[in-house]
């Protein structure tokens, strides 16, 4: 039990370290190199499945009747859309190529991805409204599902595929990952025939947590692979990491600023700043330049540092929670 408690407490560093170590072992030990060719497509197949299950389990534990949109949802959503349009417009207007395009694609991946499902948990610990936070998690997934298939074909058009074909392909894949878990969770919760499955999911306290940890391990290994095989300089990788830090700080700060007008500083800050970086890495690696996935990979570290500081501060100053 002591080991399990430690693993739960340090899930983020353990998952990240495991992803790094496992990839380096298979990549640089000649004896294991053949096995890496076997496991790579398997992990690629498991990643979207784990993401689906992670969201599915989370949504099964939500009371859908309490998910009511509030005013700050509109403004946070509009600002996210505005940021996405600014980045895409910047890429198209200046016809960016090479490293400049990779930097902007990295920024786009950090902005366009939905709010993290874990944001509701952090919000609750900070004294915020978990229902409002969960509602925005739903809404941000819909926003993401609409933006990605619209924007990505414009900046990374396939050689032999038109815009409409690219739009439909990406929309189909995004819906399978983001929207399908919501629908399946709703029917699991409300169909009597699926009630035993629902009761089992609810009874397993950390089921979504386990899926999240495994998913994080996979995407960490993928990020390390992209860094190791990146045909670029260490200085450029540092630029991507620092850009991720800047975007993280800006989104948290602007989110909290918007929330002040609606007495929802904590909720709106987490909504805009805490991102589903696992999904961001996946979409960057799948649809953009693979090197751009380094940005959201670093964003994982930055947002969890900010969350840790927030939790530490509010534990010491509970009277200043907003």
């Amino acid at each position: 039990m002591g080991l399990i408690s430690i693993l739960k407490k340090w899930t983020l560093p353990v998952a990240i370290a495991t992803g790094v170590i496992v990839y380096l072992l298979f990549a640089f030990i000649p004896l294991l190199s053949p096995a890496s060719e076997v496991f790579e497509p398997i992990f690629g197949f498991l990643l979207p499945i784990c993401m689906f299950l992670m969201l599915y389990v989370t949504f099964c534990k939500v009371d859908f009747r309490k998910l009511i949109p509030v005013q700050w949802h509109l403004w946070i959503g509009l600002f996210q859309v505005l940021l996405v349009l600014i980045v895409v417009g910047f890429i198209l207007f200046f016809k960016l190529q090479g490293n400049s395009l990779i930097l902007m694609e990295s920024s786009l991946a950090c902005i366009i991805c939905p709010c993290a499902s874990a944001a509701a948990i952090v919000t609750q610990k900070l004294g915020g409204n978990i229902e409002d936070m969960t509602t925005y998690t739903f809404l941000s997934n819909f926003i993401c599902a609409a933006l990605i298939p619209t924007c990505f074909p414009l900046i990374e058009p396939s050689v032999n595929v038109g815009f409409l074909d690219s739009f439909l392909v990406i929309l189909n894949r995004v819906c399978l990952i983001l929207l399908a878990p919501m629908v399946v969770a709703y029917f699991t919760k409300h169909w009597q025939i699926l009630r035993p499955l629902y009761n089992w999911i609810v009874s397993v306290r950390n089921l979504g947590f386990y899926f999240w940890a495994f998913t994080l391990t996979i995407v960490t290994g993928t990020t390390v692979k992209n860094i190791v095989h990146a045909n670029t300089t260490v200085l450029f990788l540092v630029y991507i990491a620092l850009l991720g830090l800047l975007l993280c700080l800006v989104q948290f700060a602007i989110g909290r600023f918007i929330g002040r007008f609606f007495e929802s500083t904590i909720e709106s800050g987490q909504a805009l700043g805490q991102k589903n970086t696992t999904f961001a890495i996946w979409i960057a690696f799948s649809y953009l330049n693979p090197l751009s996935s380094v940005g959201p990979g670093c964003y994982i570290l930055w947002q969890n540092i900010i969350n840790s500081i927030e939790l530490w501060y509010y534990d010491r100053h509970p009277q200043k929670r907003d």
Side-chain angles (χ1 to χ4, degrees):
M1 292 299 295
L3 178 61
I4 294 177
S5 299
I6 293 174
L7 290 176
K8 288 181 179 180
K9 184 177 180 180
W10 300 101
T11 302
L12 176 63
V14 169
I16 292 176
T18 301
V20 173
I21 293 172
V22 170
Y23 171 75
L24 293 178
L25 288 176
F26 279 92
F28 294 102
I29 297 180
L31 186 63
L32 298 177
S33 295
S36 65
E37 298 179 0
V38 176
F39 285 111
E40 184 174 1
I42 295 176
F43 287 139
F45 173 76
L46 289 176
L47 180 57
I49 294 177
C50 288
M51 292 172 60
F52 176 96
L53 293 174
M54 178 178 61
L55 290 173
Y56 166 67
V57 169
T58 301
F59 294 145
C60 277
K61 299 181 180 181
V62 168
D63 188 347
F64 287 83
R65 295 171 297 181
K66 295 182 179 180
L67 302 182
I68 303 174
V70 294
Q71 284 184 305
W72 68 262
H73 291 163
L74 172 63
W75 292 102
I76 293 294
L78 287 176
F79 188 80
Q80 180 183 7
V81 173
L82 177 61
L83 281 178
V84 170
L85 294 179
I86 290 174
V87 174
V88 173
F90 188 85
I91 293 173
L92 296 177
F93 182 80
F94 291 102
K95 299 179 181 180
L96 298 181
Q97 299 291 332
N99 287 347
S100 298
L101 178 60
I102 294 173
L103 282 174
M104 288 298 100
E105 287 184 347
S106 179
S107 302
L108 182 61
C110 294
I111 295 170
I112 202 172
C113 64
C115 175
S117 56
I121 300 174
V122 177
T123 298
Q124 185 179 35
K125 290 183 177 181
L126 294 174
N129 188 306
I130 189 172
E131 288 79 18
D132 287 355
M133 192 68 252
T134 303
T135 302
Y136 186 76
T137 302
F138 276 87
L139 295 176
S140 68
N141 282 304
F142 282 100
I143 294 172
C144 180
L147 287 175
I148 289 176
T150 304
C151 298
F152 282 17
L154 295 175
I155 60 178
E156 282 286 349
S158 300
V159 177
N160 298 315
V161 180
F163 174 83
L164 180 60
D165 291 332
S166 299
F167 177 90
L168 294 176
V169 169
I170 298 176
L171 179 62
N172 176 62
R173 294 183 181 179
V174 171
C175 286
L176 288 175
I177 297 299
L178 294 181
L179 304 186
M182 300 180 189
V183 177
V184 176
Y186 179 85
F187 285 111
T188 301
K189 190 170 185 176
H190 293 90
W191 275 8
Q192 192 63 34
I193 193 174
L194 296 176
R195 198 67 184 181
L197 174 60
Y198 168 75
N199 291 334
W200 178 79
I201 292 174
V202 174
S203 66
V204 182
R205 183 177 180 183
N206 296 305
L207 185 58
F209 168 87
Y210 299 137
F211 284 125
W212 175 75
F214 183 70
T215 304
L216 183 59
T217 301
I218 296 176
V219 297
T220 300
T222 302
T223 302
V224 174
K225 175 186 175 183
N226 295 336
I227 293 174
V228 171
H229 294 280
N231 186 21
T232 187
T233 63
V234 174
L235 182 60
F236 183 67
L237 294 175
V238 172
Y239 286 154
I240 296 178
L242 292 178
L243 182 60
L245 173 60
L246 177 62
L247 289 172
C248 189
L249 293 172
V250 167
Q251 291 187 107
F252 267 100
I254 293 178
R256 293 179 69 89
F257 175 77
I258 293 174
R260 290 185 180 277
F261 296 95
F262 307 100
E263 298 182 353
S264 301
T265 306
I266 295 173
E267 296 89 338
S268 57
Q270 297 304 129
L272 191 60
Q274 189 170 350
K275 297 292 189 177
N276 186 344
T277 44
T278 300
F279 182 77
I281 292 172
W282 177 69
I283 59 173
F285 186 76
S286 300
Y287 302 117
L288 304 175
N289 188 304
L291 187 56
S292 66
S293 65
V294 176
C298 296
Y299 198 102
I300 294 176
L301 175 62
W302 306 137
Q303 74 176 9
N304 280 281
I305 290 176
I306 291 176
N307 285 335
S308 298
I309 294 173
E310 287 180 323
L311 291 169
W312 171 82
Y313 179 80
Y314 288 121
D315 283 341
R316 292 176 62 92
H317 306 281
Q319 72 280 7
K320 296 182 179 180
R321 286 190 176 272
D322 204 32

